[in-house]
Amino acid sequence: MKELKLYLGPNHPGMHGNFSVHMYVDGDTIVRARPMPGMLHRGFEKLMERRLWMNNLALIPRICVPEPDINEMVYAMAIEELTGIEVPEKAHWIRMIILELARIANHLMSLGGIGGPVGLYTGPNWGLADRDLILDIFEEITGARIYHMYIVPGGVRKDLREETIEKIKSFLDYLENRLPEYEDLILKNSLFQRRTKDKLLLPAEVVWELGVTGIGMRSAVGEAYDIRKVDPYARYDQVEFYVPTANYSDGYTRVYFKYLETYQSIKIIRQVLEKMPQKGKVWNKISNGSALRWRVPKGQVYTHVECARGEYGYYMVSEGEDKPYRVAVRGASYPQGLLGVEKYLPGTRIEDAALWMDTMGVCPPEIDR
């Protein structure tokens, strides 16, 4: 048979974001794959180097749309380390609430969205509907549903209202009771299991070869490598949570881990609400007169957090000017989303290509940056 070239994305319901994979197939099997980033045409890193430090706050959340707050966090952490700005105690705890809500929102989108490639369309409807409840909370806190610009150098923009805290508690109770229904609908579904169990494998050696982190690493090599544990930031060292691990990374295990981690995020937020100071500052502001002329001291730093897909970091260099000299984004899905597509998507059947991308947690803007 003649080798045939097919396209997965960028305009395809199974592709996550503006990204394309050129698949060369023999019958129903992919024999070669070529990832094609560059569909966004944004160049986030270079744009950041041409904007004032504070102006970048509106740009950086767009590097990962499903979980934008991680960019605000690593950017703020880098500036705080370079400048020595102290973050108020209460702001550390509020940041954790925002980050864990964003993680849950990402997992719900992924957990529900996995139903699309297997024809289980109730899953995306549930996932997006429940994610919308989190967006309602974000809107109440920040004034925006997706891009919040809420975590800023020196803390967070404003305190949480008591009504918002009660709304968060109510949502956590609702979601905890709701999650078993996701398990019944998706994880226990025989069709979903046939499509993902013992398939879409991520061998342990790939983790070390490509630098895969997050659920991909933890499900393949059995190591609880989670930045919240190994290099705690905010106040993650003061809360208890469990990091699931396994030694067999098939598609089913990676999706199941997203389900388990959602429970852990609920547990973390509840602890934060209990331990968070009731009063106190939440932002050590720069004076209004100097924010747009602000110069960050000369130096270089790498800051990282644990996002829903793994280790997410910024390497930032300042030359003491009013703009960053260099910013490099360590996108968590870069290894499997770019190198992994080319090396390990071959051998997969055509109908499973979208499943492969989803279970690997590929976020295209982290690659095309």
Side-chain angles (χ1 to χ4, degrees):
M1 291 181 64
K2 181 180 178 181
E3 191 176 80
L4 179 66
K5 184 178 181 180
L6 296 178
Y7 300 88
L8 177 65
N11 296 316
H12 186 286
M15 176 52 67
H16 306 272
N18 300 62
F19 190 70
S20 178
V21 177
H22 293 186
M23 304 183 301
Y24 300 83
V25 302
D26 183 356
D28 293 332
T29 303
I30 301 169
V31 293
R32 286 193 294 133
R34 186 184 178 197
M36 299 294 290
M39 304 295 176
L40 291 170
H41 303 300
R42 288 182 181 172
F44 294 108
E45 293 179 351
K46 290 305 172 187
L47 282 174
M48 291 164 68
E49 294 164 16
R50 285 158 175 77
R51 295 190 178 195
L52 300 177
W53 291 96
M54 298 305 287
N55 286 351
N56 277 324
L57 293 175
L59 171 69
I60 54 177
R62 290 158 172 81
I63 302 178
C64 185
V65 180
E67 196 181 9
D69 306 273
I70 53 173
N71 288 281
E72 298 177 18
M73 186 65 176
V74 292
Y75 186 73
M77 288 167 60
I79 291 177
E80 288 156 6
E81 188 164 335
L82 288 170
T83 59
I85 298 175
E86 291 291 332
V87 177
E89 181 64 19
K90 189 173 185 179
H92 283 300
W93 298 92
I94 295 177
R95 285 178 170 187
M96 291 168 64
I97 294 174
I98 299 297
L99 293 174
E100 292 306 314
L101 284 175
R103 177 188 296 271
I104 293 173
N106 186 282
H107 280 339
L108 286 176
M109 178 182 283
S110 183
L111 184 62
I114 200 73
V118 299
L120 190 61
Y121 295 110
T122 304
N125 292 333
W126 282 15
L128 290 176
D130 287 339
R131 175 177 174 266
D132 254 11
L133 301 177
I134 298 179
L135 301 189
D136 290 342
I137 294 172
F138 281 145
E139 186 175 19
E140 190 169 306
I141 295 172
T142 71
R145 297 180 68 80
I146 305 297
Y147 304 129
H148 308 130
M149 286 78 81
Y150 179 71
I151 298 175
V152 295
V156 296
R157 279 198 286 117
K158 59 181 180 179
D159 204 347
L160 300 182
R161 297 186 303 151
E162 189 60 39
E163 296 88 340
T164 306
I165 292 175
E166 292 304 315
K167 191 170 184 177
I168 293 172
K169 291 178 179 178
S170 177
F171 169 75
L172 296 179
D173 292 339
Y174 160 79
L175 184 61
E176 191 169 42
N177 292 325
R178 174 74 155 155
L179 282 174
E181 297 181 30
Y182 280 89
E183 184 178 21
D184 289 339
L185 174 70
I186 300 171
L187 296 170
K188 292 182 179 179
N189 183 280
S190 60
L191 175 61
F192 173 74
Q193 291 186 5
R194 287 200 302 271
R195 294 285 300 277
T196 57
K197 278 193 172 182
D198 301 318
K199 296 180 180 179
L200 314 171
L201 297 173
L202 181 66
E205 59 269 19
V206 177
V207 170
W208 309 118
E209 180 184 2
L210 300 183
V212 177
T213 57
I215 286 175
M217 176 186 188
R218 295 192 290 269
S219 61
V221 300
E223 289 198 19
Y225 183 82
D226 186 311
I227 305 301
R228 296 173 297 175
K229 289 282 191 182
V230 300
D231 189 13
Y233 48 96
R235 292 295 179 261
Y236 278 105
D237 56 342
Q238 298 182 32
V239 296
E240 296 181 2
F241 62 98
Y242 166 71
V243 179
T245 60
N247 290 291
Y248 185 70
S249 184
D250 60 0
Y252 180 86
T253 302
R254 293 193 295 275
V255 175
Y256 183 53
F257 273 27
K258 297 176 184 181
Y259 173 78
L260 295 178
E261 287 193 357
T262 302
Y263 276 111
Q264 296 307 308
S265 291
I266 293 173
K267 180 179 179 180
I268 290 171
I269 296 173
R270 283 182 172 148
Q271 292 177 74
V272 170
L273 292 174
E274 182 180 335
K275 296 182 177 184
M276 180 174 66
Q278 298 300 311
K279 297 181 179 180
K281 291 178 60 178
V282 297
W283 188 7
N284 281 327
K285 297 183 181 181
I286 309 160
S287 65
N288 291 334
S290 64
L292 297 181
R293 299 192 302 272
W294 191 33
R295 280 172 163 72
V296 170
K298 188 175 182 179
Q300 55 184 314
V301 65
Y302 176 73
T303 52
H304 57 175
V305 300
E306 184 70 25
C307 75
R309 296 161 306 287
E311 180 179 350
Y312 193 94
Y314 277 20
Y315 172 69
M316 190 179 296
V317 180
S318 172
E319 287 293 312
E321 300 297 330
D322 59 356
K323 303 178 183 68
Y325 174 75
R326 181 72 178 99
V327 181
V329 179
R330 197 276 181 196
S333 59
Y334 182 90
Q336 63 268 36
L338 189 67
L339 305 174
V341 166
E342 188 170 289
K343 298 192 69 173
Y344 297 100
L345 186 58
T348 303
R349 289 177 60 87
I350 298 171
E351 66 269 23
D352 289 336
L355 271 175
W356 192 95
M357 298 290 290
D358 194 10
T359 64
M360 290 294 177
V362 177
C363 185
E366 295 179 355
I367 301 167
D368 179 18
R369 64 194 191 282

